[in-house]
Amino acid sequence: MQTVLHKAESRGHASHGWLNSYHTFSFAGYSNPSRVHFGVLRVLNDDTVAGGMGFGTHPHDNMEIISIPLSGDLEHKDNMGNHGIIRRGDVQVMSAGTGVAHSEKNHNKDQEVKFLQIWVFPNQRGVKPRYAQQSFRAEDRHNQFQQVISPSPDDAGVWIHQDAWFSLGDFDPGFSTEYQVKKAGNGVYAFVLEGDVTINGQKLNRRDGLGIWDTDSLSIQANSQAQLLLMDVPMSL
């Protein structure tokens, strides 16, 4: 088993007034040669956007882009004709493929929106751009993992062009569980949304990240009320 630990305070940070962003991996003005990606996981940004503010229309291509709101309401608009709101409990996917332009902004003027912006390298280039969004019940991840991303439209969650599985869990203090890696050769990047957990003997706190590979399972214990995101991804680009 191999691991890489990224403590919350070691992340890159950018404050633009309207945007407060923490970067687990190199992004924009944050460049760290030792933290460019974890397997096909390229970007993990922890963003807070002020009321009424947001990202203007900008392009993407050949990337799977995943947005997970943590609080507030995020408004999305793109050149494929999609326009909607994603909220806590929703997961949004945009397969950029041959190219797409979109904007994201805080739908509300009187409160912040907090969300995770995640980019995954696809296993196919030049695909037709697509957009998908799905709502998930919080009770379905109480003391268990709820799959929210998968490689197949026939499996639970929203599908992407990659052999990757994302799962969310909300755990009571003292609860223990095992997670089985979905595919041989994949690694898992665990990101602690809230609380304190121990994974394979490593203690983690709020917003810490731990990458684990060359193993087929994870042993997880919640040391407090905890929320956890697991990203099970191929380690080879």
Side-chain angles (χ1 to χ4, degrees), residues 4-7 10-13 21-46 117-121 166 188-191 209-211 231 233 235:
V4 59
L5 174 64
H6 298 143
K7 297 294 290 181
S10 73
R11 297 177 295 171
H13 180 229
S21 184
Y22 289 89
H23 313 312
T24 293
F25 303 106
S26 295
F27 186 86
Y30 170 60
S31 179
N32 184 336
S34 68
R35 289 172 65 161
V36 176
H37 60 95
F38 177 81
V40 301
L41 177 61
R42 173 61 189 88
V43 168
L44 174 54
N45 287 351
D46 181 4
Q117 178 185 171
I118 303 168
W119 296 4
V120 172
F121 289 116
F166 287 19
V188 177
Y189 195 89
F191 188 64
L210 179 68
M231 292 165 279
V233 297
M235 294 304 292

Side-chain angles (χ1 to χ4, degrees), residues 27 107 174 184 219:
F27 186 86
H107 181 65
S219 175

Side-chain angles (χ1 to χ4, degrees), residues 137-148:
R137 301 195 317 162
E139 53 266 37
D140 292 340
R141 56 179 174 268
H142 179 231
N143 286 338
Q144 62 182 345
F145 281 110
Q146 175 188 52
Q147 185 173 290
V148 296

Side-chain angles (χ1 to χ4, degrees), residues 82-102:
N82 300 296
H83 185 196
I85 311 298
I86 56 171
R87 300 176 170 87
R88 180 176 170 82
D90 297 341
V91 175
Q92 176 207 70
V93 163
M94 192 171 65
S95 297
T98 54
V100 66
H102 77 134

